[in-house]
Tab-separated table of all heavy atoms in Angstrom:
chain	number	residue	atom	x	y	z
A	1709	THR	N	30.446	-92.163	133.038
A	1709	THR	CA	31.193	-91.377	134.083
A	1709	THR	C	32.652	-92.024	134.474
A	1709	THR	O	33.222	-91.552	135.302
A	1709	THR	CB	30.294	-91.206	135.307
A	1709	THR	OG1	30.010	-92.586	135.755
A	1709	THR	CG2	28.980	-90.446	135.046
A	1710	GLU	N	32.821	-93.082	133.687
A	1710	GLU	CA	34.103	-93.721	134.089
A	1710	GLU	C	35.156	-92.833	133.196
A	1710	GLU	O	34.891	-92.286	132.152
A	1710	GLU	CB	34.145	-95.227	133.538
A	1710	GLU	CG	33.260	-96.111	134.347
A	1710	GLU	CD	33.176	-97.505	133.713
A	1710	GLU	OE1	33.957	-97.790	132.903
A	1710	GLU	OE2	32.232	-98.192	134.283
A	1711	ILE	N	36.484	-93.150	133.517
A	1711	ILE	CA	37.551	-92.587	132.742
A	1711	ILE	C	37.424	-93.106	131.321
A	1711	ILE	O	37.335	-94.430	131.185
A	1711	ILE	CB	38.902	-92.915	133.411
A	1711	ILE	CG1	39.092	-92.195	134.799
A	1711	ILE	CG2	40.120	-92.339	132.336
A	1711	ILE	CD1	40.358	-92.576	135.528
A	1712	GLY	N	37.472	-92.359	130.335
A	1712	GLY	CA	37.192	-92.826	128.907
A	1712	GLY	C	35.624	-92.656	128.499
A	1712	GLY	O	35.534	-92.719	127.313
A	1713	GLY	N	34.903	-92.277	129.476
A	1713	GLY	CA	33.514	-92.039	129.131
A	1713	GLY	C	33.188	-90.686	128.603
A	1713	GLY	O	34.191	-89.806	128.532
A	1714	ARG	N	31.885	-90.285	128.447
A	1714	ARG	CA	31.588	-88.974	127.950
A	1714	ARG	C	32.025	-87.838	129.004
A	1714	ARG	O	32.394	-86.765	128.533
A	1714	ARG	CB	30.095	-88.754	127.538
A	1714	ARG	CG	29.751	-89.419	126.218
A	1714	ARG	CD	28.280	-88.923	125.819
A	1714	ARG	NE	28.153	-87.714	125.515
A	1714	ARG	CZ	26.800	-87.027	125.281
A	1714	ARG	NH1	25.864	-87.746	125.698
A	1714	ARG	NH2	26.817	-85.776	124.856
A	1715	ILE	N	31.761	-88.238	130.132
A	1715	ILE	CA	31.943	-87.126	131.259
A	1715	ILE	C	32.538	-88.000	132.426
A	1715	ILE	O	31.827	-88.355	133.220
A	1715	ILE	CB	30.745	-86.338	131.558
A	1715	ILE	CG1	30.965	-85.498	132.760
A	1715	ILE	CG2	29.506	-87.215	131.928
A	1715	ILE	CD1	31.987	-84.274	132.381
A	1716	PRO	N	33.929	-88.248	132.557
A	1716	PRO	CA	34.367	-88.878	133.611
A	1716	PRO	C	34.242	-88.036	134.879
A	1716	PRO	O	34.384	-86.944	134.876
A	1716	PRO	CB	35.946	-88.900	133.315
A	1716	PRO	CG	35.951	-88.688	131.727
A	1716	PRO	CD	34.826	-87.755	131.332
A	1717	VAL	N	33.725	-88.738	135.843
A	1717	VAL	CA	33.267	-88.114	137.117
A	1717	VAL	C	34.219	-88.794	138.267
A	1717	VAL	O	34.300	-89.893	138.444
A	1717	VAL	CB	31.874	-88.382	137.495
A	1717	VAL	CG1	31.579	-87.746	138.836
A	1717	VAL	CG2	30.976	-87.665	136.473
A	1718	ASN	N	34.929	-87.934	138.955
A	1718	ASN	CA	35.814	-88.245	140.040
A	1718	ASN	C	36.848	-89.475	139.662
A	1718	ASN	O	36.930	-90.537	140.399
A	1718	ASN	CB	34.826	-88.772	141.253
A	1718	ASN	CG	34.102	-87.658	141.801
A	1718	ASN	OD1	34.535	-86.481	141.707
A	1718	ASN	ND2	32.981	-87.880	142.293
A	1719	PRO	N	37.768	-89.133	138.779
A	1719	PRO	CA	38.659	-90.024	138.425
A	1719	PRO	C	39.689	-90.174	139.646
A	1719	PRO	O	40.381	-91.287	139.703
A	1719	PRO	CB	39.434	-89.402	137.172
A	1719	PRO	CG	39.019	-87.994	137.223
A	1719	PRO	CD	37.685	-88.012	137.723
A	1720	SER	N	39.706	-89.313	140.635
A	1720	SER	CA	40.594	-89.360	141.795
A	1720	SER	C	39.999	-90.415	142.694
A	1720	SER	O	40.674	-90.651	143.683
A	1720	SER	CB	40.639	-87.993	142.357
A	1720	SER	OG	39.408	-87.686	143.015
A	1721	GLY	N	38.806	-90.882	142.487
A	1721	GLY	CA	38.022	-91.707	143.568
A	1721	GLY	C	37.139	-90.815	144.314
A	1721	GLY	O	36.357	-91.342	145.069
A	1722	GLY	N	37.336	-89.515	144.289
A	1722	GLY	CA	36.389	-88.639	144.950
A	1722	GLY	C	36.262	-88.687	146.435
A	1722	GLY	O	37.068	-89.393	147.068
A	1723	VAL	N	35.100	-88.097	146.984
A	1723	VAL	CA	34.838	-88.077	148.274
A	1723	VAL	C	34.601	-89.635	148.814
A	1723	VAL	O	34.856	-89.896	149.956
A	1723	VAL	CB	33.585	-87.273	148.651
A	1723	VAL	CG1	33.332	-87.142	150.204
A	1723	VAL	CG2	33.967	-85.829	148.132
A	1724	LEU	N	34.134	-90.436	147.943
A	1724	LEU	CA	33.933	-91.899	148.341
A	1724	LEU	C	35.118	-92.572	148.771
A	1724	LEU	O	35.094	-93.560	149.431
A	1724	LEU	CB	33.199	-92.682	147.137
A	1724	LEU	CG	31.624	-92.578	147.128
A	1724	LEU	CD1	31.157	-93.380	146.036
A	1724	LEU	CD2	31.000	-92.936	148.514
A	1725	CYS	N	36.372	-92.002	148.265
A	1725	CYS	CA	37.584	-92.658	148.694
A	1725	CYS	C	38.317	-91.802	149.709
A	1725	CYS	O	39.191	-92.532	150.507
A	1725	CYS	CB	38.486	-92.747	147.445
A	1725	CYS	SG	37.838	-94.016	146.249
A	1726	SER	N	38.094	-90.611	149.824
A	1726	SER	CA	38.849	-89.733	150.771
A	1726	SER	C	37.956	-88.724	151.318
A	1726	SER	O	37.403	-87.936	150.477
A	1726	SER	CB	40.136	-89.135	150.117
A	1726	SER	OG	40.801	-90.092	149.430
A	1727	ASN	N	37.803	-88.665	152.634
A	1727	ASN	CA	36.805	-87.582	153.169
A	1727	ASN	C	37.293	-86.765	154.402
A	1727	ASN	O	36.799	-86.942	155.372
A	1727	ASN	CB	35.343	-88.298	153.319
A	1727	ASN	CG	34.485	-86.965	153.586
A	1727	ASN	OD1	34.646	-85.769	153.152
A	1727	ASN	ND2	33.453	-87.234	154.510
A	1728	PRO	N	38.351	-86.082	154.111
A	1728	PRO	CA	38.815	-85.112	155.120
A	1728	PRO	C	37.876	-83.866	154.924
A	1728	PRO	O	38.133	-83.067	154.129
A	1728	PRO	CB	40.132	-84.774	154.864
A	1728	PRO	CG	40.391	-84.956	153.532
A	1728	PRO	CD	39.309	-85.942	153.022
A	1729	ILE	N	36.635	-83.839	155.709
A	1729	ILE	CA	35.522	-83.187	155.302
A	1729	ILE	C	35.804	-81.752	154.756
A	1729	ILE	O	35.489	-81.264	153.633
A	1729	ILE	CB	34.553	-83.077	156.432
A	1729	ILE	CG1	34.127	-84.378	156.816
A	1729	ILE	CG2	33.356	-82.292	155.965
A	1729	ILE	CD1	33.258	-84.559	158.061
A	1730	GLY	N	36.615	-80.902	155.719
A	1730	GLY	CA	36.782	-79.524	155.208
A	1730	GLY	C	37.720	-79.488	153.891
A	1730	GLY	O	37.437	-78.552	153.090
A	1731	ALA	N	38.548	-80.391	153.696
A	1731	ALA	CA	39.478	-80.460	152.499
A	1731	ALA	C	38.686	-81.051	151.402
A	1731	ALA	O	39.231	-80.930	150.098
A	1731	ALA	CB	40.641	-81.239	152.819
A	1732	SER	N	37.552	-81.725	151.596
A	1732	SER	CA	37.086	-82.523	150.361
A	1732	SER	C	36.689	-81.710	149.313
A	1732	SER	O	36.799	-82.046	148.094
A	1732	SER	CB	35.798	-83.424	150.985
A	1732	SER	OG	36.366	-84.388	151.767
A	1733	GLY	N	36.103	-80.531	149.488
A	1733	GLY	CA	35.774	-79.726	148.454
A	1733	GLY	C	36.985	-79.067	147.689
A	1733	GLY	O	37.044	-79.104	146.416
A	1734	LEU	N	37.985	-78.697	148.513
A	1734	LEU	CA	39.163	-78.146	147.825
A	1734	LEU	C	39.961	-79.264	147.022
A	1734	LEU	O	40.565	-78.966	145.953
A	1734	LEU	CB	40.142	-77.455	148.846
A	1734	LEU	CG	41.353	-76.735	148.279
A	1734	LEU	CD1	40.768	-75.586	147.334
A	1734	LEU	CD2	42.210	-76.062	149.395
A	1735	LEU	N	39.844	-80.452	147.542
A	1735	LEU	CA	40.419	-81.521	146.780
A	1735	LEU	C	39.702	-81.772	145.418
A	1735	LEU	O	40.391	-82.071	144.223
A	1735	LEU	CB	40.167	-82.942	147.497
A	1735	LEU	CG	41.207	-83.091	148.622
A	1735	LEU	CD1	40.771	-84.288	149.592
A	1735	LEU	CD2	42.544	-83.404	148.055
A	1736	ARG	N	38.344	-81.557	145.438
A	1736	ARG	CA	37.665	-81.605	144.064
A	1736	ARG	C	38.224	-80.535	143.018
A	1736	ARG	O	38.500	-80.580	141.807
A	1736	ARG	CB	36.249	-81.349	144.240
A	1736	ARG	CG	35.486	-82.321	145.253
A	1736	ARG	CD	35.235	-83.753	144.753
A	1736	ARG	NE	36.532	-84.316	144.529
A	1736	ARG	CZ	37.213	-84.979	145.479
A	1736	ARG	NH1	37.004	-84.770	146.774
A	1736	ARG	NH2	38.291	-85.728	145.122
A	1737	PHE	N	38.459	-79.285	143.705
A	1737	PHE	CA	38.958	-78.241	142.876
A	1737	PHE	C	40.302	-78.480	142.396
A	1737	PHE	O	40.722	-78.190	141.255
A	1737	PHE	CB	38.917	-76.799	143.642
A	1737	PHE	CG	37.621	-76.115	143.766
A	1737	PHE	CD1	36.284	-76.903	144.031
A	1737	PHE	CD2	37.384	-74.878	143.538
A	1737	PHE	CE1	35.140	-76.366	144.049
A	1737	PHE	CE2	36.109	-74.244	143.546
A	1737	PHE	CZ	35.138	-74.975	143.845
A	1738	ALA	N	41.134	-78.963	143.403
A	1738	ALA	CA	42.487	-79.242	143.121
A	1738	ALA	C	42.675	-80.343	141.950
A	1738	ALA	O	43.483	-80.217	141.070
A	1738	ALA	CB	43.330	-79.612	144.307
A	1739	GLU	N	41.885	-81.365	142.056
A	1739	GLU	CA	41.912	-82.552	141.308
A	1739	GLU	C	41.503	-82.080	139.839
A	1739	GLU	O	42.000	-82.420	138.811
A	1739	GLU	CB	41.159	-83.705	141.606
A	1739	GLU	CG	41.675	-84.424	142.883
A	1739	GLU	CD	42.860	-85.383	142.445
A	1739	GLU	OE1	43.094	-85.552	141.309
A	1739	GLU	OE2	43.453	-85.905	143.435
A	1740	SER	N	40.524	-81.174	139.643
A	1740	SER	CA	39.995	-80.654	138.446
A	1740	SER	C	41.223	-79.855	137.823
A	1740	SER	O	41.513	-79.930	136.606
A	1740	SER	CB	38.882	-79.722	138.505
A	1740	SER	OG	39.129	-78.554	139.307
A	1741	ALA	N	41.959	-79.170	138.653
A	1741	ALA	CA	43.177	-78.285	138.263
A	1741	ALA	C	44.247	-79.225	137.604
A	1741	ALA	O	44.744	-79.051	136.621
A	1741	ALA	CB	43.661	-77.309	139.195
A	1742	MET	N	44.423	-80.319	138.504
A	1742	MET	CA	45.604	-81.207	138.042
A	1742	MET	C	45.189	-81.910	136.744
A	1742	MET	O	46.020	-82.302	135.852
A	1742	MET	CB	45.633	-82.377	139.078
A	1742	MET	CG	46.245	-81.845	140.409
A	1742	MET	SD	45.885	-82.832	141.904
A	1742	MET	CE	46.513	-84.574	141.332
A	1743	GLN	N	43.901	-82.220	136.477
A	1743	GLN	CA	43.496	-82.727	135.204
A	1743	GLN	C	43.885	-81.934	133.999
A	1743	GLN	O	44.451	-82.386	133.055
A	1743	GLN	CB	42.074	-83.080	135.187
A	1743	GLN	CG	41.610	-84.212	136.022
A	1743	GLN	CD	42.014	-85.659	135.609
A	1743	GLN	OE1	42.380	-85.693	134.393
A	1743	GLN	NE2	42.160	-86.645	136.476
A	1744	VAL	N	43.612	-80.587	134.079
A	1744	VAL	CA	43.897	-79.777	132.963
A	1744	VAL	C	45.434	-79.407	132.963
A	1744	VAL	O	45.896	-78.937	131.886
A	1744	VAL	CB	42.976	-78.551	132.889
A	1744	VAL	CG1	41.587	-79.005	132.670
A	1744	VAL	CG2	43.243	-77.568	134.070
A	1745	MET	N	46.012	-79.500	134.013
A	1745	MET	CA	47.545	-79.322	134.026
A	1745	MET	C	48.319	-80.562	133.514
A	1745	MET	O	49.399	-80.483	133.191
A	1745	MET	CB	48.043	-78.947	135.415
A	1745	MET	CG	47.556	-77.629	135.901
A	1745	MET	SD	47.609	-77.643	137.798
A	1745	MET	CE	49.126	-76.746	138.194
A	1746	GLY	N	47.507	-81.727	133.462
A	1746	GLY	CA	48.098	-82.921	132.998
A	1746	GLY	C	48.953	-83.611	134.011
A	1746	GLY	O	49.987	-84.356	133.655
A	1747	THR	N	48.716	-83.348	135.280
A	1747	THR	CA	49.533	-83.824	136.363
A	1747	THR	C	48.958	-84.872	137.224
A	1747	THR	O	49.351	-85.089	138.327
A	1747	THR	CB	50.152	-82.656	137.174
A	1747	THR	OG1	48.963	-82.033	137.873
A	1747	THR	CG2	50.893	-81.621	136.429
A	1748	ALA	N	47.720	-85.402	136.720
A	1748	ALA	CA	47.068	-86.347	137.608
A	1748	ALA	C	47.565	-87.788	137.607
A	1748	ALA	O	46.989	-88.690	138.189
A	1748	ALA	CB	45.546	-86.365	137.277
A	1749	GLY	N	48.714	-88.007	136.850
A	1749	GLY	CA	49.259	-89.335	136.909
A	1749	GLY	C	48.389	-90.500	136.437
A	1749	GLY	O	47.720	-90.252	135.381
A	1750	GLU	N	48.236	-91.533	137.199
A	1750	GLU	CA	47.471	-92.733	136.779
A	1750	GLU	C	46.034	-92.405	136.557
A	1750	GLU	O	45.354	-93.245	135.998
A	1750	GLU	CB	47.694	-93.846	137.771
A	1750	GLU	CG	49.007	-94.550	137.601
A	1750	GLU	CD	49.099	-95.830	138.362
A	1750	GLU	OE1	48.228	-96.590	138.261
A	1750	GLU	OE2	50.046	-95.918	139.171
A	1751	HIS	N	45.441	-91.423	137.335
A	1751	HIS	CA	44.076	-91.207	137.105
A	1751	HIS	C	43.900	-90.026	136.205
A	1751	HIS	O	42.781	-89.393	136.218
A	1751	HIS	CB	43.284	-90.995	138.305
A	1751	HIS	CG	43.764	-89.969	139.234
A	1751	HIS	ND1	44.926	-89.871	140.002
A	1751	HIS	CD2	43.187	-88.685	139.568
A	1751	HIS	CE1	45.092	-88.851	140.742
A	1751	HIS	NE2	44.051	-88.013	140.453
A	1752	GLN	N	44.811	-89.644	135.386
A	1752	GLN	CA	44.653	-88.570	134.322
A	1752	GLN	C	43.624	-89.020	133.292
A	1752	GLN	O	43.681	-90.125	132.786
A	1752	GLN	CB	46.109	-88.351	133.629
A	1752	GLN	CG	46.082	-87.308	132.511
A	1752	GLN	CD	45.818	-85.965	133.063
A	1752	GLN	OE1	46.398	-85.414	134.077
A	1752	GLN	NE2	44.866	-85.157	132.460
A	1753	VAL	N	42.787	-88.061	133.043
A	1753	VAL	CA	41.780	-88.216	131.909
A	1753	VAL	C	42.595	-87.637	130.639
A	1753	VAL	O	42.971	-86.510	130.599
A	1753	VAL	CB	40.480	-87.542	131.982
A	1753	VAL	CG1	39.613	-87.532	130.788
A	1753	VAL	CG2	39.745	-88.102	133.155
A	1754	PRO	N	42.867	-88.714	129.685
A	1754	PRO	CA	43.791	-88.266	128.650
A	1754	PRO	C	43.135	-87.102	127.764
A	1754	PRO	O	41.968	-86.988	127.499
A	1754	PRO	CB	43.675	-89.445	127.670
A	1754	PRO	CG	43.360	-90.681	128.491
A	1754	PRO	CD	42.513	-89.999	129.491
A	1755	GLY	N	44.040	-86.132	127.565
A	1755	GLY	CA	43.637	-84.874	126.813
A	1755	GLY	C	42.732	-83.947	127.495
A	1755	GLY	O	41.964	-83.078	126.885
A	1756	ALA	N	42.597	-83.986	128.833
A	1756	ALA	CA	41.556	-83.128	129.440
A	1756	ALA	C	42.043	-81.678	129.323
A	1756	ALA	O	43.022	-81.351	129.737
A	1756	ALA	CB	41.445	-83.627	130.885
Side-chain angles (χ1 to χ4, degrees):
Chain A
T1709 59
E1710 295 174 13
I1711 296 173
R1714 277 188 80 191
I1715 178 63
V1717 175
N1718 294 330
S1720 69
V1723 183
L1724 275 185
C1725 289
S1726 312
N1727 189 29
I1729 302 173
S1732 291
L1734 192 58
L1735 283 164
R1736 308 282 69 73
F1737 279 45
E1739 288 283 352
S1740 65
M1742 290 159 59
Q1743 288 288 345
V1744 300
M1745 293 156 97
T1747 58
E1750 279 190 55
H1751 62 283
Q1752 176 72 45
V1753 172

